[in-house]
PDB file of all heavy atoms in Angstrom:
ATOM      1  N   GLY A 458      22.852  30.176 -23.585  1.00  0.00           N
ATOM      2  CA  GLY A 458      24.308  30.103 -23.494  1.00  0.00           C
ATOM      3  C   GLY A 458      24.961  30.299 -24.851  1.00  0.00           C
ATOM      4  O   GLY A 458      25.967  31.014 -24.973  1.00  0.00           O
ATOM      5  N   THR A 459      24.379  29.683 -25.867  1.00  0.00           N
ATOM      6  CA  THR A 459      24.905  29.848 -27.218  1.00  0.00           C
ATOM      7  C   THR A 459      24.714  31.278 -27.709  1.00  0.00           C
ATOM      8  O   THR A 459      25.608  31.861 -28.336  1.00  0.00           O
ATOM      9  CB  THR A 459      24.210  28.864 -28.177  1.00  0.00           C
ATOM     10  OG1 THR A 459      24.338  27.538 -27.664  1.00  0.00           O
ATOM     11  CG2 THR A 459      24.824  28.928 -29.562  1.00  0.00           C
ATOM     12  N   VAL A 460      23.552  31.857 -27.426  1.00  0.00           N
ATOM     13  CA  VAL A 460      23.297  33.249 -27.818  1.00  0.00           C
ATOM     14  C   VAL A 460      24.289  34.189 -27.138  1.00  0.00           C
ATOM     15  O   VAL A 460      24.850  35.096 -27.775  1.00  0.00           O
ATOM     16  CB  VAL A 460      21.844  33.644 -27.477  1.00  0.00           C
ATOM     17  CG1 VAL A 460      21.639  35.149 -27.669  1.00  0.00           C
ATOM     18  CG2 VAL A 460      20.864  32.875 -28.338  1.00  0.00           C
ATOM     19  N   CYS A 461      24.512  33.999 -25.843  1.00  0.00           N
ATOM     20  CA  CYS A 461      25.473  34.836 -25.107  1.00  0.00           C
ATOM     21  C   CYS A 461      26.866  34.718 -25.699  1.00  0.00           C
ATOM     22  O   CYS A 461      27.579  35.722 -25.848  1.00  0.00           O
ATOM     23  CB  CYS A 461      25.503  34.444 -23.628  1.00  0.00           C
ATOM     24  SG  CYS A 461      23.993  34.857 -22.705  1.00  0.00           S
ATOM     25  N   LEU A 462      27.268  33.497 -26.043  1.00  0.00           N
ATOM     26  CA  LEU A 462      28.594  33.283 -26.617  1.00  0.00           C
ATOM     27  C   LEU A 462      28.723  33.973 -27.971  1.00  0.00           C
ATOM     28  O   LEU A 462      29.720  34.652 -28.246  1.00  0.00           O
ATOM     29  CB  LEU A 462      28.858  31.787 -26.748  1.00  0.00           C
ATOM     30  CG  LEU A 462      30.209  31.383 -27.342  1.00  0.00           C
ATOM     31  CD1 LEU A 462      31.351  31.876 -26.459  1.00  0.00           C
ATOM     32  CD2 LEU A 462      30.279  29.869 -27.520  1.00  0.00           C
ATOM     33  N   ILE A 463      27.707  33.815 -28.812  1.00  0.00           N
ATOM     34  CA  ILE A 463      27.756  34.425 -30.155  1.00  0.00           C
ATOM     35  C   ILE A 463      27.761  35.947 -30.050  1.00  0.00           C
ATOM     36  O   ILE A 463      28.586  36.626 -30.682  1.00  0.00           O
ATOM     37  CB  ILE A 463      26.554  33.941 -30.993  1.00  0.00           C
ATOM     38  CG1 ILE A 463      26.697  32.443 -31.293  1.00  0.00           C
ATOM     39  CG2 ILE A 463      26.457  34.737 -32.295  1.00  0.00           C
ATOM     40  CD1 ILE A 463      25.485  31.849 -31.992  1.00  0.00           C
ATOM     41  N   LEU A 464      26.850  36.503 -29.228  1.00  0.00           N
ATOM     42  CA  LEU A 464      26.778  37.960 -29.133  1.00  0.00           C
ATOM     43  C   LEU A 464      28.014  38.542 -28.450  1.00  0.00           C
ATOM     44  O   LEU A 464      28.513  39.593 -28.865  1.00  0.00           O
ATOM     45  CB  LEU A 464      25.526  38.365 -28.355  1.00  0.00           C
ATOM     46  CG  LEU A 464      24.208  38.337 -29.129  1.00  0.00           C
ATOM     47  CD1 LEU A 464      23.063  38.773 -28.240  1.00  0.00           C
ATOM     48  CD2 LEU A 464      24.274  39.209 -30.369  1.00  0.00           C
ATOM     49  N   GLY A 465      28.498  37.878 -27.403  1.00  0.00           N
ATOM     50  CA  GLY A 465      29.703  38.369 -26.740  1.00  0.00           C
ATOM     51  C   GLY A 465      30.895  38.400 -27.680  1.00  0.00           C
ATOM     52  O   GLY A 465      31.663  39.362 -27.699  1.00  0.00           O
ATOM     53  N   THR A 466      31.047  37.337 -28.489  1.00  0.00           N
ATOM     54  CA  THR A 466      32.146  37.298 -29.467  1.00  0.00           C
ATOM     55  C   THR A 466      31.968  38.387 -30.519  1.00  0.00           C
ATOM     56  O   THR A 466      32.930  39.082 -30.891  1.00  0.00           O
ATOM     57  CB  THR A 466      32.187  35.918 -30.138  1.00  0.00           C
ATOM     58  OG1 THR A 466      32.328  34.902 -29.136  1.00  0.00           O
ATOM     59  CG2 THR A 466      33.349  35.828 -31.114  1.00  0.00           C
TER      60      THR A 466
END
Side-chain angles (χ1 to χ4, degrees):
T459 306
V460 171
C461 291
L462 180 62
I463 292 174
L464 281 181
T466 303

